[in-house]
Amino acid sequence: MAQQSAALLLLLCLLPALPAAVQISARGREVLYLAKGETVKLGCPYTLEPEDNGSGALGIEWIQLSPDTVHPDSVFLTYQDQQVRYPGTPGLQHRVAFVQKDPSQHDASIQLANLQVSDTATYQCRVRKHTLATHEVTITVQEKPVTPQCWTEGEQVEGSNVVLKCYCQGGSAPLSYQWSRVEEDFAAGGLPLGTGQGHIPGELYIHSLSQQHAGIYQCRVANRVGYSQCRVTISVSSGAARVWVIVGSILGSLLFLILLILLIWGLLWYHRRRCCWREVPGDSRNSASATPGRASPQHHSISYLQCQQCEQGDLGPCPVHALGH
C-alpha cells in the first residue's frame, strides 16, 4: 500500500512537467486600443509536439466571443481539411484573412482590415489536433479626435484677462485637452506665469496680460488612439496704443462729418445761385417786330435784391433757365 502511494505521488509530481501537445507561443491575453479604419494583426503562432505530428486533422478557429450569455459566440474564420472557410457575418468576410496562405505551417495569425467601432470585442484563436490550445485578444476600436476649433475671448491689451478656448466636436471619449505655448513655432513648451487651466476642459485663462504672454498657443486633444491640435496667436498691445486708436477713430469720424456738411452746403449754394441769372423768351411785341423766321430772345437780368430773395427761397421754385452768358 505504501509503495502504491509513493508511485502515485511521483506521478503527480511529474504531470506538470509533461508538455502539452499543442502550444500557442503568443504572449498572454492581449488588450489593444486601435483607431477606426486601421488594420491590425491578431497573432496566433503555435507549435506541435512530436506526439501531435501524426495523421490527425488540424483544425483552426477564430471566434468573436459574446460579451454576455444571451448572444452566442460567433465563429467567423476556420481552417479544416486544408480549406479556409468564412462562416461568420458578411461584414467580416471581406476584411479578415489568415496572414499565411497555409495556416498549417505553425501560424494561425489573422489580419483584420478597415476596423470599425462595431469590431470592438474579444477574439479567441483555437488550434486543435489531438489536444486544444487557445489564445485571446481584446480590441477596442475608437475614433480619433477630429481637428478642434481654437479661439480667444477678451481684449488682448496689457492688464486685461483673456480666455483661450478649445473644442473638439468628434472623437471617442474620453478626450483630454492640453494647452501649451509653441516655442519657435515648432516644439510645444510650457506655460508662462499667470496662466491656468479653467474648470471647463479646453479652457486656458491668462490673468493680467503682459508681453511675456505673447506668442503662439497650441491646444492638443487626445484619446487612446490618436490626437489632433489647433493654434491661436496672442498679440499684446499697450494701453497707450489703445488710446491713440480710439482718438484716431473719433477724429476720423469728425473729419468725415465736416466734409459731408461742406458738400451738402456747396450743392445747395450752387442750386440757389443758378436763380440769379435767367434766360427768358421775349414777349409778343418783340416777337412781332422780329425778323420773320428768326427768334429774338431777350436777356432779362433780375435785381440784386431779387437774387438775394431767390437764394433765400422767397421767390419760390425757379423757372426753366440757363446760366447767364
Side-chain angles (χ1 to χ4, degrees):
M1 183 68 179
Q3 293 179 349
Q4 292 179 351
S5 299
L8 180 60
L9 180 61
L10 179 62
L11 179 62
L12 291 175
C13 293
L14 293 176
L15 279 178
L18 295 176
V22 178
Q23 287 185 336
I24 295 178
S25 55
R27 57 185 179 180
R29 181 171 178 173
E30 299 178 75
V31 178
L32 305 176
Y33 288 88
L34 303 166
K36 179 181 177 182
E38 289 185 349
T39 297
V40 63
K41 176 184 176 181
L42 304 183
C44 188
Y46 62 90
T47 59
L48 298 176
E49 295 300 327
E51 61 268 27
D52 232 354
N53 285 327
S55 59
L58 175 68
I60 299 174
E61 290 181 337
W62 273 95
I63 303 169
Q64 189 181 63
L65 301 179
S66 174
D68 51 52
T69 58
V70 177
H71 302 88
D73 298 337
S74 175
V75 179
F76 60 91
L77 183 63
T78 65
Y79 176 82
Q80 188 76 34
D81 299 330
Q82 299 182 349
Q83 290 186 352
V84 177
R85 295 182 177 85
Y86 301 88
T89 59
L92 283 175
Q93 288 182 4
H94 303 293
R95 297 189 291 119
V96 67
F98 283 107
V99 174
Q100 299 292 338
K101 293 183 179 180
D102 185 2
S104 66
Q105 300 301 311
H106 302 159
D107 191 0
S109 303
I110 63 171
Q111 180 174 280
L112 182 57
N114 191 20
L115 289 171
Q116 303 298 311
V117 176
S118 58
D119 294 333
T120 297
T122 296
Y123 296 83
Q124 186 182 75
C125 172
R126 294 181 181 178
V127 181
R128 182 194 305 271
K129 198 163 188 186
H130 296 297
T131 56
L132 174 67
T134 64
H135 175 64
E136 292 183 359
V137 181
T138 298
I139 65 173
T140 300
V141 182
Q142 296 183 336
E143 294 183 0
K144 292 181 179 180
V146 300
T147 302
Q149 298 176 347
C150 288
W151 72 96
T152 62
E153 292 184 359
E155 293 185 293
Q156 298 182 22
V157 180
E158 283 188 356
S160 64
N161 296 328
V162 177
V163 182
L164 281 62
K165 294 193 173 184
C166 177
Y167 178 68
C168 182
Q169 294 182 333
S172 299
L175 297 176
S176 63
Y177 293 81
Q178 183 179 10
W179 278 99
S180 60
R181 187 167 67 174
V182 179
E183 301 294 342
E184 300 178 354
D185 299 351
F186 291 103
L191 292 171
L193 295 176
T195 60
Q197 301 290 339
H199 298 292
I200 301 176
E203 289 188 353
L204 178 69
Y205 285 88
I206 302 180
H207 301 280
S208 187
L209 194 66
S210 64
Q211 290 296 332
Q212 70 171 347
H213 297 117
I216 300 175
Y217 289 77
Q218 177 178 279
C219 174
R220 177 187 173 104
V221 185
N223 60 10
R224 290 179 178 270
V225 297
Y227 70 91
S228 59
Q229 58 194 25
C230 59
R231 294 180 176 183
V232 293
T233 301
I234 296 296
S235 301
V236 183
S237 59
S238 64
R242 180 186 179 190
V243 172
W244 281 113
V245 170
I246 295 175
V247 171
S249 300
I250 295 175
L251 292 178
S253 300
L254 289 176
L255 180 61
F256 174 77
L257 183 61
I258 292 172
L259 292 176
L260 182 62
I261 292 174
L262 290 176
L263 178 62
I264 295 175
W265 180 84
L267 291 175
L268 291 175
W269 180 86
Y270 175 75
H271 176 71
R272 291 176 179 177
R273 185 64 181 169
R274 293 178 66 187
C275 296
C276 293
W277 292 93
R278 286 178 274 181
E279 178 179 311
V280 296
D283 55 18
S284 57
R285 291 173 298 176
N286 293 331
S287 300
S289 61
T291 303
R294 294 186 59 186
S296 57
Q298 292 184 351
H299 295 283
H300 179 67
S301 176
I302 62 178
S303 67
Y304 175 77
L305 178 60
Q306 289 174 323
C307 181
Q308 291 295 104
Q309 292 175 345
C310 177
E311 290 183 353
Q312 296 173 2
D314 295 337
L315 294 180
C318 292
V320 178
H321 59 277
L323 291 175
H325 297 285

